[in-house]
């Protein structure tokens, strides 16, 4: 990030703090890249970095009205993002620890069922990974009940085709439907 | 992350920004709520101060949420409006009696308070070289705050406040107009 961009961000952030909504999109664009980079370097995992980056953007823009105009905007934003990454890393670590602790208690009548379910989910995720970006988007949007980029008959057709491809990939990888 | 996802994230973040501003605005108008409660308790008829108080709080919240000039006009507007409000509430119980009848001092207090508030708003606007939105916002908020007390005389009190306020801002407006022409 060069000097001109840094001073542009400072000026835009000051305007946004005063309530000038015109500055919003540019502030978002200027912050998103460096925050993603920071999160990726701290967490070393793309999915976690994306989660932390999104959360950080929410926190930064939530506090935008409190931004101190006398301070540089980028270090302030990166400090919030860094904190968010650390919080997420700690949370994941804690979850992993509790998961490891919980394994012995799973050894009951449902343990085998649970392991099978987990294996199936992993297999489905692997098959999903073999599909194109478009197919993935359609299937994920269907699963999470989210709005896809298209709707109506086009979406139905795409979904049908994506499911067919997923079925074929699954059969090719694991020999079953 | 695809461009659709980024747009979605941007929309969500924008919503967060607006909600945070709204929260701040609602906290910012709490002093107006307190002033409204005091005015309602002191007034002989509680309905008018309550109505004007709610309108003031609503307008104040909108100004703080919007930001820029209206946000900067919030404090000067409220402080200027407190003058006619205090004068009206202070003189609410007083009245002068002549040989034929008694008259309340509320109306003169409102006119005088309006003049002072108008002068204060125009003085601050001139000092800050503020734009028209600052004038409009500060004046609106000052009038609504003052009207909480001036409603003691019904419509005539509020009209008196408005006339006094109008008279108060005239010198400032003239100074601004002629000052701009001279420069």
């Amino acid at each position: 990030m060069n000097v001109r961009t840094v001073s542009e961000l400072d000026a835009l952030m000051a305007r946004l703090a005063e309530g000038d909504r015109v500055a919003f999109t540019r502030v978002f664009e200027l912050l998103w890249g460096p925050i993603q980079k920071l999160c990726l370097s701290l967490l070393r995992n793309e999915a976690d970095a994306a989660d932390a980056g999104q959360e950080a953007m929410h926190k930064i823009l939530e506090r935008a009205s409190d931004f101190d105009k006398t301070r540089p905007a980028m270090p302030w934003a990166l400090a919030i993002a860094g904190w968010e990454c650390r919080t997420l890393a700690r949370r994941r670590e804690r979850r992993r620890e509790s998961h490891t602790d919980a394994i012995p208690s799973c050894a009951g009548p449902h343990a085998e069922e649970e392991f099978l379910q987990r294996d199936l989910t992993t297999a489905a995720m692997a098959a999903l990974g073999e599909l194109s970006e478009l197919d993935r988007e359609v299937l994920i949007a269907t699963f999470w009940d989210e709005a896809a980029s298209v709707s109506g008959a086009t979406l139905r057709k795409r979904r049908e085709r994506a499911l067919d491809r997923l079925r074929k990939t699954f059969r090719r990888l694991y020999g079953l439907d | 992350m695809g461009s659709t996802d980024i747009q979605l994230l941007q929309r969500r973040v924008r919503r967060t920004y607006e909600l945070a501003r709204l929260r701040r605005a609602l906290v910012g108008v709490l002093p107006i709520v307190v002033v409204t409660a005091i005015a309602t308790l002191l007034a002989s008829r509680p309905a008018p101060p309550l109505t004007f108080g709610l309108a003031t709080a609503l307008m104040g919240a909108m100004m703080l949420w919007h930001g820029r000039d209206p946000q900067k006009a919030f404090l000067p507007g409220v402080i200027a409006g407190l003058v006619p409000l205090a004068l009206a509430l202070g003189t609410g119980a007083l009245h002068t009696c002549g040989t034929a009848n008694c008259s309340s001092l509320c109306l003169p207090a409102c006119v005088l308070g309006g003049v002072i508030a108008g002068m204060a708003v125009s003085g601050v606007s001139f000092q800050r070289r503020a734009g028209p939105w600052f004038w409009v916002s500060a004046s609106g908020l000052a009038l609504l705050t003052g009207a909480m007390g001036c409603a003691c005389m019904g419509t005539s009190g509020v009209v008196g406040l408005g006339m006094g306020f109008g008279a108060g801002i005239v010198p400032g407006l003239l100074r601004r107009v002629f000052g701009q022409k001279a420069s």
Side-chain angles (χ1 to χ4, degrees):
Chain A
M1 193 172 240
N2 58 35
V3 181
R4 195 190 289 175
T5 320
V6 167
S7 56
E8 186 194 359
L9 178 66
D10 289 346
L12 287 170
M13 203 66 209
R15 275 171 57 191
L16 195 63
E18 284 188 358
D20 186 357
R21 272 83 168 171
V22 178
F24 184 87
T25 308
R26 187 73 184 128
V27 165
F28 185 93
E29 285 167 0
L30 289 173
L31 287 177
W32 180 235
I35 281 171
Q36 258 190 319
K37 256 186 222 163
L38 174 79
C39 291
L40 199 58
S41 67
L42 286 176
L43 297 167
R44 298 181 191 287
N45 176 312
E46 265 187 48
D48 286 355
D51 284 352
Q54 288 179 36
E55 199 54 43
M57 288 304 282
H58 277 286
K59 291 273 160 67
I60 291 163
L61 273 306
E62 193 176 26
R63 294 177 202 173
S65 302
D66 299 321
F67 172 68
D68 180 0
K69 287 165 231 169
T70 57
R71 287 172 59 190
M74 189 50 87
W76 171 76
L78 290 179
I80 295 174
W83 179 260
E84 217 38 63
C85 290
R86 274 194 293 275
T87 309
L88 188 113
R90 230 177 287 145
R91 208 183 302 148
R92 292 274 148 96
E93 188 60 38
R94 222 174 289 147
R95 200 173 295 165
R96 214 170 292 143
E97 279 167 13
S98 67
H99 182 71
T100 318
D101 293 345
I103 282 175
S105 66
C106 285
H110 302 293
E112 196 183 351
E113 224 171 86
E114 271 180 35
F115 283 126
L116 274 174
Q117 184 67 37
R118 206 175 303 155
D119 277 355
L120 203 61
T121 311
T122 315
M125 291 309 285
L128 202 64
E130 298 258 320
L131 299 182
S132 70
E133 185 77 42
L134 185 69
D135 285 349
R136 261 206 306 272
E137 189 207 320
V138 170
L139 289 176
I140 288 167
T142 307
F143 183 77
W144 291 110
D145 206 16
E146 279 177 355
S149 48
V150 288
S151 59
T154 320
L155 178 66
R156 274 200 300 278
K157 267 268 181 305
R158 276 190 190 172
R159 195 183 297 154
E160 240 174 66
R161 280 201 292 262
L163 275 172
D164 193 42
R165 279 188 208 116
L166 180 69
R167 219 172 280 132
K168 278 179 188 158
T169 313
F170 204 84
R171 200 177 300 140
R172 180 169 53 81
L173 289 173
Y174 308 104
L176 48 106
D177 278 317
Chain B
M1 205 175 194
S3 64
T4 319
D5 294 334
I6 290 181
Q7 278 172 6
L8 202 69
L9 172 66
Q10 202 172 318
R11 271 205 296 274
R12 281 188 198 142
V13 171
R14 175 69 188 263
R15 209 180 305 139
T16 308
Y17 169 76
E18 297 294 354
L19 281 173
R21 283 198 73 87
L22 189 64
R23 266 200 304 275
R24 276 168 56 97
L26 291 176
V27 172
V29 295
L30 282 179
I32 294 181
V33 176
V34 174
V35 169
T36 306
I38 294 168
T40 309
L41 285 172
L42 293 177
S44 50
R45 287 180 301 148
L50 200 63
T51 312
F52 280 109
L54 283 175
T56 311
L58 194 69
M59 186 179 174
M62 278 171 67
M63 283 163 63
L64 290 177
W65 165 75
H66 182 274
R68 308 189 80 184
D69 274 356
Q71 185 180 358
K72 288 175 193 159
F74 178 79
L75 209 56
V78 171
I79 291 171
L82 284 177
V83 178
L85 171 64
L87 284 176
L89 288 175
T91 56
L94 299 175
H95 51 270
T96 51
C97 292
T99 48
N101 57 2
C102 290
S103 64
S104 166
L105 286 175
C106 180
L107 189 59
C110 285
V111 176
L112 179 67
V115 172
I116 297 170
M119 285 170 75
V121 165
S122 68
V124 173
S125 307
F126 188 77
Q127 200 183 1
R128 294 189 185 181
R129 298 171 193 275
W133 279 112
F134 185 95
W135 280 79
V136 172
S137 308
S139 302
L141 205 60
L143 283 169
L144 279 174
T145 310
M148 272 193 253
C150 293
C152 60
M153 285 290 290
T155 318
S156 57
V158 179
V159 170
L161 167 72
M163 285 170 70
F165 189 86
I169 61 166
V170 166
L173 275 174
L174 289 175
R175 205 157 60 148
R176 188 184 158 93
V177 170
F178 288 111
Q180 270 177 353
K181 274 185 184 168
S183 62

